[in-house]
């Protein structure tokens, strides 16, 4: 099927393109930095061109429009923050996840806040934002819970298991707004210990029972 | 102490002002509508003037700048969504809270997403956003938990009590981004039942014990 509208070059590998994958990655990094600094509405193709010393016409030829450029930048920035975590216990995994998200927080949370309003008005952007920043974290946390079920730490029919990812990600992403009261060190650790794990862990039967 | 910078009129009641409290409220409503539609960066004094048929010079004379106008609009829009809830049980209160936040969700969540990025770069705006949309909900949910403790539903030393507000608000505000998986009806109700209440409620002792 021919795309409607003006014909655009679809990939950095097209013949007229001078953009190497390394150069594309530089541009994407600049786009995400500009988003974190100024938000989505303030981002302009001019601003990207000037930050990256790239011709505006090259940007338009390669990516077509600002939303498409942002979506491409998001798709190339999937950071596997949580996928490597496997400590052997659910408690260990969740604490490690909290530390990892906290460490990536300035970067990822700023980006999420920069894009969330625009994403609610732009389905393609919402989809790219979910796939870049949200879906991988949900999948990694679900995998932690599944391993805990497989080890017998959590009952397979425990009704709280589907909510762990939403609980963790919701609270962590909302933190900059809640902060003051919830910003102090240790909040997330105590949150895991006091609010998340108690609904999940199967009580250990007393010895000899 | 004299304010630094150009002297500004501080209140709608000042002598030169023609703006009645009712007219100010109309302007605030328009400001918040424009924020929900286009986000913070896209909001301009021109846009507010045109939407409200108010002179731009009047807006500047009265509010000084766009951030001050937004802060004033937020301060006058505190909606006591949750304060009236008191069903007699914690479970009843939390379910009612979820319904109330859900009903206000298009309005409040859109506003929060519109402002969250700008608020992270502007302390006055962050403070106004917290006071308008976040602090009243936190206080109302904390009051629900306190009543549950007073009734003996929740142990006074239950370590999960400080986290209920963050948990509920975090998940509810993150929903538009998580959605797909978490958007279906009943998600929040099951979340309360399966993940929030189990960490809170004191097991009822068997009769006769």
């Amino acid at each position: 099927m021919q795309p409607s509208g003006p014909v655009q070059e679809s990939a950095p590998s097209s013949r007229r393109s001078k953009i190497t994958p390394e150069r594309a990655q530089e541009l994407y990094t600049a786009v995400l930095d500009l988003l974190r600094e100024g938000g989505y509405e303030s981002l302009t193709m001019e601003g990207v061109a000037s930050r990256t010393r790239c011709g505006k016409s090259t940007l338009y030829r390669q990516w077509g429009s600002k939303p498409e450029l942002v979506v491409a930048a998001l798709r190339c920035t999937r950071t596997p923050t949580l996928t490597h975590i496997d400590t052997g216990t659910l408690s260990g995994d969740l604490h490690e996840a909290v530390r990892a998200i906290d460490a990536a927080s300035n970067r990822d949370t700023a980006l999420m806040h920069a894009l969330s309003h625009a994403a609610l008005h732009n389905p393609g952007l919402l989809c790219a934002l979910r796939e870049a920043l949200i879906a991988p974290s949900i999948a990694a946390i679900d995998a932690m819970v599944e391993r805990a079920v497989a080890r017998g730490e959590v009952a397979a029919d425990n009704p709280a298991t589907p909510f762990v990812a939403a609980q963790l990600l919701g609270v962590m992403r909302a933190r900059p707004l809640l902060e003051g009261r919830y910003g102090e060190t240790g909040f997330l650790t105590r949150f895991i210990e006091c609010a998340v794990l108690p609904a999940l862990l199967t009580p250990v039967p007393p010895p000899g029972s």
Side-chain angles (χ1 to χ4, degrees), chain A:
Chain A
M1 208 180 97
Q2 286 292 339
S4 62
V7 175
Q8 285 161 10
E9 296 173 18
S10 59
S13 60
S14 71
R15 204 167 154 262
R16 277 167 62 203
S17 172
K18 299 269 192 296
I19 296 190
T20 62
E22 292 73 26
R23 180 64 174 142
Q25 195 55 59
E26 272 176 32
L27 290 168
Y28 293 151
T29 303
V31 168
L32 300 180
D33 285 343
L34 287 165
L35 284 170
R36 290 186 192 98
E37 293 163 21
Y40 182 80
E41 281 83 8
S42 303
L43 184 81
T44 60
M45 294 299 245
E46 286 80 358
V48 176
S50 136
R51 173 75 64 104
T52 58
R53 295 167 191 279
C54 179
K56 222 171 74 178
S57 61
T58 307
L59 292 180
Y60 277 109
R61 199 170 55 234
Q62 201 70 36
W63 286 282
S65 71
K66 164 178 147 178
E68 289 173 271
L69 174 56
V70 171
V71 165
L74 283 172
R75 289 197 192 282
C76 288
T77 192
R78 241 163 275 203
T79 44
T81 315
L82 305 179
T83 43
H84 63 285
I85 297 171
D86 188 1
T87 65
T89 68
L90 182 60
S91 171
D93 284 358
L94 294 184
H95 281 107
E96 203 52 53
V98 157
R99 271 190 291 274
I101 300 182
D102 228 16
S105 172
N106 286 340
R107 199 184 61 206
D108 291 353
T109 305
L111 195 55
M112 188 156 315
H113 283 286
L115 286 169
S116 66
H117 178 77
L120 297 182
H121 296 262
N122 180 331
L125 193 57
L126 179 57
C127 183
L129 182 63
R130 279 185 189 146
E131 285 175 20
L133 291 179
I134 301 166
S137 302
I138 290 178
I141 294 169
D142 283 349
M144 293 172 189
V145 174
E146 274 163 34
R147 290 195 303 266
V149 169
R151 283 190 301 258
E153 277 187 90
V154 174
D157 60 352
N158 183 308
T161 55
F163 301 100
V164 182
Q167 216 170 352
L168 243 69
L169 297 175
V171 169
M172 302 199 70
R173 295 304 181 201
R175 258 177 97 215
L177 298 180
L178 298 168
E179 204 136 336
R181 179 152 165 202
Y182 295 111
E184 79 276 35
T185 319
F187 168 77
L188 289 166
T189 302
R190 293 198 307 280
F191 172 65
I192 301 277
E193 289 297 333
C194 303
V196 180
L197 289 173
L200 285 171
L201 297 181
T202 311
V204 181
S209 75

